[in-house]
Amino acid sequence: MTSEIRQFLFESLTVMKYSTADMDDDTVLGPAGADLESLALAELSLRVEDHFGVRFEEDEAEMFAAMTVGEFCAEVARRVQTASAT
Amino acid sequence: MSRGVAVTGIGLVSPVGTVVEEVFDAVCAGRSALVRPPEGHALHGVVDVAAIGPAIDPESVIPPKDARVVDRSIVMAVRAAEDALADAAIEVGRDVDPYRVAIVLSGVGGLETLARQAVERSTRGRLGISPFMLPGVLPNMAAARVAIKFGVRGYTSSSGTACAAGGQSIGEAVRILRSGEADVVVCGCTEAPLFPTFADAFGNALALARGWADPTAASRPFDRRRNGFVLGEGAGVLVLERAEFARARGATVHAQVLGWGATSDGYHPTTPRPDGSSAAESMRLALRDAGLSTADIGYLNAHGTGTKAGDAAETMAIRGVYGDDMPPVSSTKGVTGHMLGASGVVEASIAIMALRKGVLPPTHNLDDPDPACDLDHVRGEPRTTDVAAVMSNSFGFGGHNVSVILGRAGG
C-alpha cells in the first residue's frame, strides 16, 4: 500500500511541476526539502483525499510540511487502513 | 512638483500584435483580427466571431509551479508589463526605489478559471475546488503577479470599472504621480473573456455582432448596419513616470499624459445615458485637467464598440463637447474587436502612435456612416495630419466614462 501511495504522491508532484528526481523517503515535503508551499500542500492533500478516499482536517495540511515522504505515505496508509476497517 | 507625466513604456498583447508599431500598422491598414473561432477554441460554435490574442506559454512569464494555476488574463498582463518595463528600460531596484513604484492593473479577473471551477464543484463537490483558485480568480492578482515578478513594493490597486478600467488605470496613475506618491506607475488592464459562459452572457444580452458571413465585417463602429461588438481578449500596460524623474534618468519619452476625466452616467447598468451628457462631461473634465480647449485636440480615438446605442450616445457626447471644433474621429475596434477594459490601454497606445507619426487610423468597416453618428470620421484610408494632442475615450457597463488626453513628448 505504501508504495502505491508513494507512486501516487510522485505522480501528483510531477503534475504540480515539482521535480521528483532527487526525492526519496527521507525528503521533507515542506521548505526544508521538496519546497511545497502552503497551497501546494493543500492541493496535495486534496489529491490524496480524492484518490484514496481519506479525509484530512483543515489544519493538517500545514503539518505535512514537516513530514518526510516516507512519513507522509505511512500516515496515508494508516488512514486508508482505518477507513477500510470501519 | 510639476504635473508632468511621461509615457516611457508600452507593452501590448492584442489580437493584432504585441508590438505597438505592429498594432498601429494593422489598424491603419485594416488588417482585421476578427475570425470565426477555430475548432479546438473554447468559443468554437459558441459565437460567430471573436478577436483572439496570441498564444502565450504561461511558463514563459511565470515560474512553472505557478504557471500551472494562473488565469490567461494574468499571463497576458505579466507579458505586457514585462514588455512595457523593457521598453522603458527601467529595472525596479536599480533605476527606481521599489517603494516608489506603483501598480494600477485592472480587469474583471480570472472569470474563466472561476467558471471551470464552478463546473468542477457541481460535479466533484469540495474536492473539485483547487486551493489555487483564488490567486487565479481575484481581479487584483494581475497587479500582484507583476509586483512579485518585478519586485514592486509601492502602492498597488486594481479598478473594477468594466470597459472603462483601462482608461481609468491610466487616470489613476496620473493622479498618483502628480501627488508625488510614486515616481513610476505600471498601469493597464487585462481581459480574457473568450470562454462560453462570459461570451453567452454578452450574446444573450444582445450586445454581440451577429449574422455576418464574413467575420472581418462584423465589427463596424458608427456604420448604419452595425449590430453589436466583437468580443476580444488582450492586455495593455503603460509605464508612466513623473516627467522630472524620466528626464533625470534620461528615459526615452513616447508621449505625455496631459489630462484625464471620469464621470458616471447614474442611469442604467448596461445602457448608456442616451444624450451622452455624462460622457461629454468626462471629456470636458479631461480638457480642463489638461488646460486645453477643444480646438487643441487633433484626433479622438472613440470608444466606438459598434453597438447601436453606445455609438449614438458617444456621438451625442462628442458633438456636445466639440461643436464646431470637431476633431477627426475613429474607432479602431473595427480591426481589433473589443478587448473590454484592455481596449482603453491599447487604444491610448494607438493614439500615441498617431501623435508620433501624424497619421490617424481609420474606422474599419465604416462603409455607410449612420446619420445618428454624424462625426468627422476617418474612414477608408488613414489621414495624414500634424496633431499635438489626442483624446481617447473608454466607457464601461455601469455607466463609467473615462477620457484621457495625450500630447507629444516634447510638446
Side-chain angles (χ1 to χ4, degrees), chain B residues 232-247:
Chain B
E233 62 179 350
V237 173
L238 302 181
V239 175
L240 304 189
E241 303 183 38
R242 288 193 307 105
E244 300 102 316
F245 186 83
R247 198 176 305 121

Side-chain angles (χ1 to χ4, degrees), chain B residues 252-384:
Chain B
T252 299
V253 177
H254 298 311
Q256 303 176 72
V257 186
L258 300 176
W260 74 294
T263 61
S264 278
D265 277 0
Y267 176 72
H268 188 274
T270 56
T271 304
R273 188 177 276 280
D275 66 3
S277 53
S278 290
E281 186 62 13
S282 88
M283 289 184 255
R284 289 192 193 97
L285 289 173
L287 286 165
R288 198 174 308 148
D289 188 43
L292 296 178
S293 69
T294 50
D296 296 318
I297 301 299
Y299 167 61
L300 194 155
N301 187 297
H303 185 61
T305 62
T307 64
K308 284 282 183 198
D311 289 3
E314 186 171 10
T315 300
M316 294 275 282
I318 294 170
R319 292 201 68 81
V321 172
Y322 286 92
D324 293 336
D325 289 328
M326 180 72 65
V329 176
S330 69
S331 164
T332 40
K333 289 186 177 76
V335 166
T336 65
H338 187 9
M339 295 165 269
L340 308 182
S343 288
V345 186
V346 174
E347 289 162 10
S349 305
I350 290 168
I352 288 170
M353 290 300 292
L355 269 174
R356 291 170 62 185
K357 290 184 170 248
V359 175
L360 313 183
T363 301
H364 193 54
N365 292 323
L366 181 49
D367 301 329
D368 181 13
D370 185 344
C373 300
D374 182 20
L375 296 165
D376 176 11
H377 293 294
V378 183
R379 65 191 189 102
E381 297 295 321
R383 194 182 297 182
T384 302

Side-chain angles (χ1 to χ4, degrees), chain B:
Chain B
M1 188 166 292
S2 96
R3 287 162 47 87
V5 173
V7 182
T8 58
I10 301 173
L12 305 178
V13 173
S14 88
V16 289
T18 55
V19 178
V20 66
E21 288 83 3
E22 178 188 13
V23 171
F24 188 70
D25 288 348
V27 295
C28 284
R31 275 199 303 278
S32 178
L34 312 187
V35 295
R36 224 168 274 298
E39 218 166 304
H41 190 277
L43 290 190
H44 177 68
V46 176
V47 295
D48 291 346
V49 53
I52 301 168
I56 302 173
D57 178 1
E59 292 189 15
S60 68
V61 292
I62 291 172
K65 292 187 189 84
D66 294 349
R68 188 177 57 87
V69 290
V70 296
D71 189 84
R72 177 160 165 76
S73 60
I74 294 172
V75 172
M76 291 192 295
V78 175
R79 166 55 57 81
E82 187 171 64
D83 289 349
L85 287 163
D87 185 37
I90 194 163
E91 188 176 313
V92 178
R94 183 193 67 187
D95 304 311
V96 58
D97 178 345
Y99 287 105
R100 296 288 297 167
V101 182
I103 301 175
V104 184
L105 196 40
S106 306
V108 297
L111 293 186
E112 182 180 18
T113 298
L114 180 61
R116 274 194 279 106
Q117 284 281 276
V119 171
E120 288 287 318
R121 182 66 180 81
S122 67
T123 54
R124 296 176 56 212
R126 180 184 69 86
L127 296 175
I129 297 297
S130 167
F132 289 97
M133 190 192 90
L134 291 173
V137 168
L138 298 177
N140 61 307
M141 282 298 162
R145 285 285 181 188
V146 170
I148 292 164
K149 183 173 174 100
F150 298 102
V152 172
R153 308 283 288 272
Y155 175 93
T156 307
S157 76
S158 174
S159 286
T161 49
C163 300
Q168 182 136 355
S169 298
I170 297 171
E172 289 195 14
V174 169
R175 183 180 278 167
I176 291 165
L177 291 167
R178 285 178 179 168
S179 75
E181 291 169 32
D183 295 319
V184 175
V185 184
V186 178
C187 64
C189 191
T190 184
E191 305 280 19
L194 302 186
F195 61 99
T197 307
F198 213 26
D200 283 343
F202 285 114
N204 289 350
L206 306 178
L208 298 184
R210 56 205 172 275
W212 295 93
D214 172 7
T216 68
S219 179
R220 37 197 327 113
F222 305 118
D223 188 78
R224 200 191 291 259
R225 292 190 297 155
R226 71 190 185 281
N227 64 1
F229 72 83
V230 171
L231 195 59
E233 62 179 350
V237 173
L238 302 181
V239 175
L240 304 189
E241 303 183 38
R242 288 193 307 105
E244 300 102 316
F245 186 83
R247 198 176 305 121
R249 73 177 190 92
T252 299
V253 177
H254 298 311
Q256 303 176 72
V257 186
L258 300 176
W260 74 294
T263 61
S264 278
D265 277 0
Y267 176 72
H268 188 274
T270 56
T271 304
R273 188 177 276 280
D275 66 3
S277 53
S278 290
E281 186 62 13
S282 88
M283 289 184 255
R284 289 192 193 97
L285 289 173
L287 286 165
R288 198 174 308 148
D289 188 43
L292 296 178
S293 69
T294 50
D296 296 318
I297 301 299
Y299 167 61
L300 194 155
N301 187 297
H303 185 61
T305 62
T307 64
K308 284 282 183 198
D311 289 3
E314 186 171 10
T315 300
M316 294 275 282
I318 294 170
R319 292 201 68 81
V321 172
Y322 286 92
D324 293 336
D325 289 328
M326 180 72 65
V329 176
S330 69
S331 164
T332 40
K333 289 186 177 76
V335 166
T336 65
H338 187 9
M339 295 165 269
L340 308 182
S343 288
V345 186
V346 174
E347 289 162 10
S349 305
I350 290 168
I352 288 170
M353 290 300 292
L355 269 174
R356 291 170 62 185
K357 290 184 170 248
V359 175
L360 313 183
T363 301
H364 193 54
N365 292 323
L366 181 49
D367 301 329
D368 181 13
D370 185 344
C373 300
D374 182 20
L375 296 165
D376 176 11
H377 293 294
V378 183
R379 65 191 189 102
E381 297 295 321
R383 194 182 297 182
T384 302
T385 178
D386 198 36
V387 289
V390 298
M391 178 179 278
S392 176
N393 281 341
S394 299
F395 308 138
F397 271 8
H400 308 291
N401 310 298
V402 177
S403 302
V404 174
I405 296 177
L406 300 134
R408 279 200 295 246

Side-chain angles (χ1 to χ4, degrees), chain A residues 2-34:
Chain A
T2 305
S3 63
E4 183 191 337
I5 295 167
R6 187 185 301 103
Q7 184 182 343
F8 178 81
L9 171 65
F10 283 4
E11 286 170 359
S12 296
L13 291 175
T14 301
V15 171
M16 293 164 66
K17 300 284 184 180
Y18 286 82
S19 171
T20 59
D22 297 326
M23 284 190 201
D24 57 27
D25 276 357
D26 295 329
T27 304
V28 175
L29 290 173

